[in-house]
Amino acid sequence: MMNKGRLKDRWVLITGATAGIGKATARIMAQEGANLILTGRRSKRLEELKESLIEQAGIQVEIHDFDVRDRESCKRCVDSVAHPIDILINNAGLASGKDPIDSADFEDWDKMIDTNIKGLLNMTRFVAEGMRSRNKGHIINIGSIAGHEAYPGGSVYCGTKHAVDAITKATKMDLHGTNIRVSSVSPGLVETEFSEVRFHGDKETAESVYQDTKALTAEDVAEIILFTVTRPAHVNIMDTIVLPLYQSSSTMVHRDKYEE
Ligand code: NDP
Ligand code: 8X3
């Protein structure tokens, strides 16, 4: 099947493509004809996604299972990609725990800092080298409303997402004068596996986050990522903050039956 979408022949690397926003972004990019390099730690999910995307969209898909916290694995992945990477979507990330500063778990802190900040930096460092040499590319970092506001129990998660905001702005400056675009997308509540991961597999607490309200879907965010990458080459969207209608800040979530 020949795909004639807007991203035909482009190679897009998405971290964290095994679930949520990353997976939805893979699907929407595939519909637009992009060839994909999909990463995550759960290899079976990557294999299943690869098969279904090839069948549905007739694109090329490479998969690489590794942990973005492991710098050598990040380098190995980027080095092994034979095609120029046109778009990097730094999406892999997590919140782990929601405990106050004086009782939070150190392992949770390390996971968030090492994944959301250092993992994103690792991938950017290796991919940006090639982009600079080709003077072409687009780096998109998935930030959060938590990168623009703070909330109780979010000291480290919010800290990592504020870091993503600063890294996005500084990366744009480091690549100033090149043809490389740098953007972020900063969503509020999105119903994915995010809360299940945050609450360490406690499904009931995770479900309560999205209960009696209307959160964004992963597809809503994927649409915005697609919009960001399909602007004309001279247009650089720096950030898009997107909240559900029923959310007005990190801590203000309206809980009522949603009707269109
Ligand atoms: P999910 O938990 O559904 O997906 C997270 C993805 O990140 C998975 O594919 C997971 O893959 C990957 N990932 C996590 N840790 C690592 C790691 N160490 N190495 C490689 N991959 C990793 O969550 P979302 O889709 O919601 O989250 C995606 C991004 O969006 C995150 O950066 C998150 O902070 C951000 N975000 C989410 C919001 C929400 O409300 N859901 C709101 C705002 C921002 P695997 O486990 O297979 O490695
Ligand atoms: C995820 C959204 O509000 O739980 O980044 O921090 S929030």
Side-chain angles (χ1 to χ4, degrees):
M1 185 205 313
M2 175 68 92
N3 192 313
K4 294 189 179 138
R6 284 176 288 176
L7 298 175
K8 187 174 166 346
D9 296 332
R10 311 277 284 283
W11 280 91
V12 182
L13 192 159
I14 304 173
T15 66
T18 57
I21 295 169
K23 188 173 177 181
T25 305
R27 290 204 177 284
I28 208 165
M29 299 264 161
Q31 283 160 19
E32 290 289 350
N35 297 316
L36 299 171
I37 303 142
L38 305 178
T39 84
R41 291 165 300 179
R42 287 170 286 183
S43 56
K44 191 157 182 286
R45 286 193 182 201
L46 288 175
E47 274 159 26
E48 286 165 1
L49 184 59
K50 174 180 173 174
E51 254 177 55
S52 84
L53 291 175
I54 290 174
E55 194 183 311
Q56 285 161 23
I59 54 161
Q60 298 180 62
V61 182
E62 273 186 24
I63 52 176
H64 298 262
D65 59 314
F66 65 93
D67 190 320
V68 291
R69 290 173 291 181
D70 179 351
R71 187 166 293 147
E72 279 311 308
S73 296
C74 294
K75 181 163 171 30
R76 252 198 313 278
C77 165
V78 175
D79 284 350
S80 73
V81 174
H83 326 274
I85 298 168
D86 297 297
I87 300 169
L88 166 66
I89 301 175
N90 278 313
N91 163 75
L94 80 166
S96 196
K98 203 177 177 188
D99 300 308
I101 193 80
D102 51 330
S103 61
D105 182 74
F106 290 111
E107 247 182 65
D108 281 340
W109 286 0
D110 288 344
K111 265 191 220 165
M112 290 186 274
I113 293 167
D114 292 348
T115 309
N116 300 357
I117 303 179
K118 292 168 79 177
L120 177 144
L121 286 170
N122 290 338
M123 292 304 291
T124 304
R125 172 71 172 74
F126 298 124
V127 173
E129 265 187 82
M131 286 182 171
R132 191 191 276 279
S133 71
R134 294 186 296 278
N135 193 26
K136 193 177 170 203
H138 196 162
I139 299 166
I140 302 203
N141 296 329
I142 305 306
S144 170
I145 183 66
H148 297 275
E149 295 176 13
Y151 55 80
S155 53
V156 173
Y157 181 69
C158 296
T160 65
K161 290 299 181 178
H162 275 71
V164 171
D165 182 52
I167 290 165
T168 304
K169 289 169 179 157
T171 303
K172 175 79 176 74
M173 291 172 191
D174 285 344
L175 298 169
H176 181 68
T178 71
N179 291 353
I180 303 165
R181 294 189 282 178
V182 184
S183 307
S184 59
V185 175
S186 299
L189 281 184
V190 190
E191 190 163 357
T192 61
E193 294 174 15
F194 178 86
S195 290
E196 210 180 311
V197 172
R198 167 168 249 176
F199 297 111
H200 306 118
D202 175 350
K203 284 191 198 288
E204 207 177 311
T205 307
E207 275 166 21
S208 72
V209 174
Y210 311 111
Q211 218 154 29
D212 303 322
T213 191
K214 176 76 183 154
L216 299 172
T217 64
E219 289 71 24
D220 292 329
V221 181
E223 294 266 8
I224 290 165
I225 296 169
L226 179 66
F227 179 81
T228 305
V229 303
T230 52
R231 292 313 84 214
H234 67 285
V235 177
N236 189 111
I237 295 179
M238 282 306 300
D239 192 10
T240 302
I241 301 177
V242 52
L243 300 179
L245 172 68
Y246 278 4
Q247 181 177 26
S248 299
S249 78
S250 285
T251 51
M252 284 180 76
V253 178
H254 181 62
R255 302 214 181 250
D256 198 358
K257 197 165 181 293
Y258 170 77
E259 278 173 44
E260 297 233 335

